[in-house]
């Protein structure tokens, strides 16, 4: 896996913890995406492997430590008027240690797959997250957003893990 920022892309991670037909989401309490439910993640540090960044962010934001992270894809996000493309590496965690706890940045809560609060999440999540959660699909995609709520273009492709 690559390190740090690649070209004009900003490398980010997004981790979804899954247990017994439920997914752990965090209510973002501050910063980018504040007021939305999301997975856990953030910026990959310049000298850090993507996987290590995902593991670190999950622990910082939810107080749990992943015992295994499975890479389930990459989505490129472009915002109108922003030169930097967000390259978000997606991970699924099925086993972990510790108990989810609220942090300065996130308030974690379990949701059944059938009741994921998509209306309070990023608008693209509904396009790909159900397939990742319920069908175990991997995703590769591109989303162009205008502001925080309007999808102008999306190209989402699914594959079954080998």
């Amino acid at each position: 896996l690559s390190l740090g920022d690649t070209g004009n892309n900003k490398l980010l991670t997004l981790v979804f913890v899954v247990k017994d037909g439920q997914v752990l989401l965090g209510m973002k309490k501050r910063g980018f995406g504040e007021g939305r439910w999301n997975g856990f993640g953030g910026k990959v540090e310049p000298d850090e492997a993507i996987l290590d960044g995902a593991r670190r962010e999950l622990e910082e934001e939810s107080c749990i430590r992943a015992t295994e992270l499975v890479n389930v894809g990459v989505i490129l996000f472009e915002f109108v008027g922003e030169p930097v493309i967000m390259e978000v590496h997606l991970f699924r965690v099925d086993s972990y240690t510790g108990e989810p706890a609220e942090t300065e940045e996130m308030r974690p809560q379990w949701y059944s797959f059938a009741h994921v609060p998509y209306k309070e999440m990023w608008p693209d999540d509904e396009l790909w997250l159900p397939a990742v959660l319920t069908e175990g699909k991997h995703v590769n995609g591109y989303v162009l957003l205008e502001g925080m709520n309007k999808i102008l273009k999306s190209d989402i492709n699914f594959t079954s893990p080998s």
Side-chain angles (χ1 to χ4, degrees):
L1 291 170
S2 57
L3 300 173
D5 287 354
T6 52
N8 229 17
N9 289 7
K10 182 178 185 178
L11 280 186
L12 299 149
T13 61
L14 190 56
V15 180
F16 293 93
V17 179
V18 172
K19 182 180 82 175
D20 303 328
Q22 297 183 91
V23 60
L24 184 68
L25 298 174
M27 171 52 72
K28 190 84 167 26
K29 293 161 58 178
R30 63 178 192 201
F32 189 73
E34 183 179 347
R36 289 191 158 146
W37 292 101
N38 204 354
F40 301 88
K43 286 195 297 291
V44 177
E45 300 298 338
D47 57 346
E48 186 175 47
I50 294 169
L51 193 69
D52 295 335
R55 184 174 275 119
R56 175 184 53 75
E57 287 281 355
L58 176 65
E59 193 169 354
E60 285 175 6
E61 292 183 346
S62 72
C63 301
I64 61 177
R65 182 181 284 266
T67 40
E68 187 183 13
L69 287 117
V70 178
N71 187 331
V72 293
V74 178
I75 300 178
L76 300 177
F77 291 94
E78 187 174 358
F79 289 84
V80 173
E82 288 288 328
V84 175
I85 289 177
M86 295 181 151
E87 180 181 319
V88 181
H89 291 254
L90 308 169
F91 295 90
R92 178 178 170 137
V93 169
D94 291 282
S95 61
Y96 61 88
T97 57
E99 281 304 313
E102 186 165 350
T103 61
E104 285 184 15
E105 198 163 346
M106 297 286 252
R107 174 169 52 84
Q109 187 171 319
W110 290 102
Y111 285 94
S112 71
F113 292 168
H115 296 102
V116 172
Y118 288 110
K119 298 290 170 250
E120 300 169 62
M121 296 172 72
W122 284 96
D124 62 280
D125 290 351
E126 211 163 5
L127 303 177
W128 56 269
L129 188 56
V132 169
L133 293 177
T134 62
E135 301 168 45
K137 295 282 192 191
H138 288 195
V139 62
N140 201 301
Y142 167 81
V143 178
L144 176 64
L145 288 150
E146 185 175 54
M148 306 289 257
N149 298 306
K150 186 176 180 190
I151 297 174
L152 296 183
K153 184 176 165 193
S154 68
D155 180 17
I156 308 283
N157 299 289
F158 297 102
T159 55
S160 296
S162 43

